């Protein structure tokens, strides 16, 4: 079962529970949700009417805590810890996991120094153990630990809940991307059209060249036939003259009359 499907099941579970409870009873649900090892999205729970009604009451700190897990980071919690309930060990780990996701939203190469500062971790070994065991094995991020460059190269990171006002920025970003994609598509189509035209011109030029070649071949063949006939006629005429001259130059033999002699008698 992938992480998205797990998220849906856990979210539905906590939304259904929160929908039937009020006031202080919701503190238990919120603490359980923010401690759950496989839950990393909280905006739907945050939008449950009974949860929203916690604002302005003595239990408002639990609404703020849930909102911190939906949008905040570990360093933000430390800055506002006096106004929020104390965290259990599982909640601390969860908020640090969410902090890694927030950092991965804008940077695909996370320096170890930045991570150690944001996660309040003192050494590289502890940081790498956290990234491997509590992030990559859980499935919320994938990447490569680069000990030589002292950084974490992010290949995939699960998305967090959208912060207030972030939706408009995302729509603007997507609109820009769509416009760029449309312009790129037009450019590609023009390139394809140009290539088709060049292909047609090449075919036309090749056809014309082939036709001219055939004309040249025919002309050369015809000329060869004419030259051959001319040579045959010339040789024939020369042969007749030679025979004629040969007959005229041949000396005539003197005719000798042989008369039959009769014996004397």
């Amino acid at each position: 079962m992938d992480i998205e499907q797990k998220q849906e099941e856990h979210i539905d579970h906590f939304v259904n529970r929160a929908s039937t409870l009020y006031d202080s009873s919701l503190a238990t649900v919120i603490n359980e949700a923010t401690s759950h090892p496989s839950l990393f999205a909280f905006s739907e729970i945050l939008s449950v009417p009974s949860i929203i009604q916690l604002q302005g009451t003595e239990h408002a700190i639990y609404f703020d805590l849930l909102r911190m897990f939906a949008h905040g980071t570990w360093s933000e919690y430390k800055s506002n810890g006096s106004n929020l309930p104390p965290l259990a060990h599982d909640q601390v780990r969860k908020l640090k996991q969410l902090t890694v996701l927030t950092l991965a939203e804008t940077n695909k190469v996370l320096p170890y120094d930045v991570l150690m500062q944001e996660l309040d971790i003192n050494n590289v070994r502890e940081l790498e153990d956290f990234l491997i065991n509590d992030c990559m094995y859980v499935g919320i991020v994938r990447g490569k630990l680069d000990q030589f460059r002292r950084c974490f190269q992010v290949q995939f990171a699960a998305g967090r809940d959208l912060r207030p006002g972030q939706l408009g920025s995302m729509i603007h970003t997507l609109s820009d991307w769509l416009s760029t994609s449309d312009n790129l598509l037009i450019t590609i189509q023009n390139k394809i059209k140009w290539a088709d035209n060049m292909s047609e011109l090449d075919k036309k030029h090749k056809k014309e060249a082939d036709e001219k070649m055939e004309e040249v071949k025919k002309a050369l063949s015809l000329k060869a036939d004419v030259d051959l006939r001319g040579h045959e006629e010339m040789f024939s005429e020369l042969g007749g003259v030679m025979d004629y001259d040969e007959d005229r130059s041949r000396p005539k033999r003197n005719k000798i009359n042989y008369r039959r002699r009769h014996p004397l008698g």
Side-chain angles (χ1 to χ4, degrees):
M1 184 181 298
D2 57 26
I3 188 171
E4 288 81 6
Q5 187 173 350
K6 288 181 179 179
Q7 289 290 298
E8 292 179 5
E9 292 181 358
H10 299 318
I11 290 170
D12 289 341
H13 169 74
F14 286 107
V15 165
N16 292 332
R17 284 187 61 189
S19 299
T20 61
L21 301 174
Y22 294 92
D23 300 331
S24 61
S25 308
L26 291 170
T28 301
V29 175
I30 291 173
N31 282 328
E32 289 180 8
T34 54
S35 301
H36 197 286
S38 299
L39 182 61
F40 297 93
F42 304 93
S43 60
E44 291 186 46
I45 304 173
L46 196 62
S47 64
V48 173
S50 58
I51 296 287
I52 296 175
Q53 290 173 7
L54 291 176
Q55 297 181 91
T57 70
E58 59 182 326
H59 306 294
I61 58 174
Y62 290 99
F63 176 85
D64 295 337
L65 178 65
L66 185 59
R67 185 166 54 186
M68 177 64 68
F69 275 80
H71 311 303
T73 63
W74 172 244
S75 60
E76 290 173 350
Y77 173 82
K78 289 193 301 179
S79 300
N80 296 276
S82 59
N83 299 319
L84 296 169
L87 300 182
H89 174 75
D90 289 341
Q91 289 173 308
V92 172
R93 179 179 60 197
K94 171 63 62 64
L95 195 51
K96 288 184 178 182
Q97 290 170 320
L98 294 169
T99 300
V100 172
L101 296 183
T102 296
L103 294 173
E105 287 178 356
T106 54
N107 296 285
K108 298 307 177 185
V109 178
L110 303 177
Y112 280 2
D113 292 339
V114 173
L115 287 168
M116 287 190 291
Q117 180 179 355
E118 291 293 325
L119 302 177
D120 209 12
I121 293 176
N122 297 322
N123 58 74
V124 172
R125 177 62 182 273
E126 184 182 352
L127 173 64
E128 290 183 339
D129 286 345
F130 174 78
L131 291 173
I132 293 172
N133 298 324
D134 295 321
C135 295
M136 286 193 280
Y137 281 175
V138 174
I140 59 174
V141 295
R142 290 195 300 270
K144 178 182 177 183
L145 299 175
D146 191 335
Q147 295 179 335
F148 179 75
R149 294 188 176 89
R150 290 173 55 86
C151 65
F152 177 51
Q153 298 178 2
V154 180
Q155 298 171 346
F156 161 80
R160 291 196 64 180
D161 296 306
L162 293 178
R163 301 175 185 83
Q166 191 176 12
L167 181 60
S169 176
M170 182 175 290
I171 292 174
H172 179 71
T173 300
L174 290 174
S175 298
D176 289 343
W177 176 84
L178 181 61
S179 177
T180 301
S181 299
D182 289 340
N183 292 334
L184 180 60
L185 180 60
I186 293 173
T187 301
I188 292 173
Q189 289 174 339
N190 290 336
K191 291 290 185 181
I192 292 174
K193 184 177 180 181
W194 176 84
D196 290 340
N197 291 336
M198 293 301 297
S199 178
E200 290 299 323
L201 287 175
D202 288 342
K203 290 178 181 179
K204 182 179 179 181
H205 291 161
K206 185 178 183 302
K207 182 179 179 182
E208 292 175 352
D210 291 341
E211 290 175 351
K212 290 181 180 179
M213 182 64 70
E214 288 299 322
E215 291 176 1
V216 171
K217 288 180 179 179
K218 289 179 181 179
L220 291 175
S221 178
L222 181 60
K223 185 176 183 301
D225 290 342
V226 171
D227 291 344
L228 180 59
R229 292 194 193 99
H231 286 306
E232 289 176 349
E233 292 175 358
M234 182 180 67
F235 289 143
S236 176
E237 292 175 358
L238 289 175
V241 170
M242 287 176 66
D243 290 344
Y244 174 76
D245 292 341
E246 196 175 297
D247 289 341
R248 292 182 59 184
S249 61
R250 183 178 298 152
K252 295 182 179 180
R253 294 182 181 177
N254 293 327
K255 294 182 179 180
I256 303 174
N257 294 326
Y258 295 95
R259 295 179 180 177
R260 186 174 182 180
R261 293 181 181 180
H262 299 278
L264 296 176

